[in-house]
Amino acid sequence: MPDEQKMLDSGDSLLADRIARWTAGQERFDTPIAGLSLHHWRHKTEPESYMLPPSICLIGQGRKRLLLGEEEFCYDKHQFLITSVDLPVMTHITEASEEAPYLGLTMEMNTRVITQMLVEQKMADSRVGKGQPGVAVSQITPSLLAAFIRLLDLLEEPENLAGLAPLIQQEIYYRLLVGEQGPWLRQIVSAGHHGYRMSRAIEWLKSNFKKPVKVEELAEKAGLSLSAFHSHFRSTTAMSPLQFQKRMRLNEARRLMLTEHLDASSAAFEVGYESPSQFSREYSRLFGAPPKRDISRLSQASSG
């Protein structure tokens, strides 16, 4: 156990060094490796709301907090955070400074590749108990940490990225599947499981979030009774389908105002709101300020 801790401490330092190197002078670096981004913050951040796809997140230095509905998940260099479905989350960095900046990475997971691995490896079906959310935090292992460090090292070899990066990513998926979160992750990608049914329902909501939601139709698509669907959806997302849709609408409206410069009323109608006043109330409740003031603050922060 002491040797394993030494390996982890050494790996944490290596991970932090590599992230710091590739993010020098910038807060975010989207690497040439599909789905892999690096993050560097020299100060704590305010809560930020966005859609997080199925991902694994590691920290080399600092600490972060994620909120899913009323559920809270905190992690640092000793843990990794994993999300199994697209989720409207709020996150903020809780530990960072000029002397010891936050250094982290996010790698989106390719669920199709994971599904194919389950078939090819003939991994035994595993069931987890009801109530497993779509977010989990687990202790990092030396082998998983080492795989990520090797993935970052490939950035030094652009000529080998296409051939080797997918292999290391598959190794990461394999280590997740045989680790503590393996049974939970398999449920999301294995047809017939409740986790898989919830992921399909969430996919439908993502594609149709502007439309009025009929939960009875969602339950029917998932092959569940209305009460069972509500229960499993809330277990996965920590919110109801209507709350989930509202978060998606508000996140998209914020993006439209910030990046496409729509006014609040136009953004509200674009994402499915019929009442601008209701939109403004719900927007203020989620983001802490009315649309115009919030977008002005974000624009000033990005330009500064």
Side-chain angles (χ1 to χ4, degrees), residues 167-213:
L167 298 179
I168 298 177
Q169 287 176 310
Q170 286 185 43
E171 177 191 344
I172 290 169
Y173 299 152
Y174 178 84
R175 294 192 181 282
L176 292 173
L177 287 167
V178 299
E180 179 185 9
Q181 298 303 332
W184 166 74
L185 184 57
R186 293 177 212 182
Q187 272 214 3
I188 301 301
V189 299
S190 299
H193 286 294
H194 289 139
Y196 178 84
R197 293 174 178 178
M198 293 306 102
S199 69
R200 299 284 72 79
I202 288 169
E203 191 63 35
W204 188 92
L205 281 170
K206 278 180 58 188
S207 301
N208 299 276
F209 70 91
K210 299 178 185 179
K211 302 177 182 178
V213 172

Side-chain angles (χ1 to χ4, degrees), residues 105-171:
L105 68 80
T106 299
M107 188 184 82
E108 295 182 19
M109 295 192 296
N110 189 324
T111 54
R112 288 190 179 89
V113 173
I114 295 174
T115 302
Q116 187 63 31
M117 289 177 63
L118 286 176
V119 174
E120 293 176 352
Q121 298 289 333
K122 295 182 173 62
M123 291 186 173
D125 186 22
S126 299
R127 296 188 179 270
V128 294
K130 178 183 173 183
Q132 180 70 47
V135 178
V137 172
S138 286
Q139 292 297 116
I140 192 76
T141 62
S143 56
L144 186 61
L145 185 56
F148 271 100
I149 291 170
R150 283 187 281 109
L151 188 63
L152 292 183
D153 284 343
L154 273 182
L155 295 174
E156 301 275 8
E157 309 173 42
E159 71 279 7
N160 293 324
L161 279 178
L164 295 179
L167 298 179
I168 298 177
Q169 287 176 310
Q170 286 185 43
E171 177 191 344

Side-chain angles (χ1 to χ4, degrees), residues 37-50:
S37 59
L38 310 181
H39 308 270
H40 187 148
W41 290 85
R42 297 184 178 277
H43 54 81
K44 299 176 184 179
T45 62
E46 294 296 320
E48 177 73 10
S49 178
Y50 57 93

Side-chain angles (χ1 to χ4, degrees), residues 51-54 66-73 81-89 128-137 181 183-189 193-203 205 222 224 227-241 243-244 247:
M51 290 297 296
L52 181 63
L66 179 146
L67 291 172
L68 176 65
E70 300 300 318
E71 300 289 329
E72 175 182 308
F73 302 86
L81 179 139
I82 183 172
T83 59
S84 57
V85 292
D86 292 87
L87 294 168
V89 301
V128 294
K130 178 183 173 183
Q132 180 70 47
V135 178
V137 172
Q181 298 303 332
W184 166 74
L185 184 57
R186 293 177 212 182
Q187 272 214 3
I188 301 301
V189 299
H193 286 294
H194 289 139
Y196 178 84
R197 293 174 178 178
M198 293 306 102
S199 69
R200 299 284 72 79
I202 288 169
E203 191 63 35
L205 281 170
L224 295 170
S227 61
F229 178 78
H230 265 293
S231 176
H232 288 293
F233 193 93
R234 185 173 287 277
S235 294
T236 300
T237 67
M239 60 192 80
S240 71
Q243 290 171 327
F244 190 97
R247 286 286 184 92

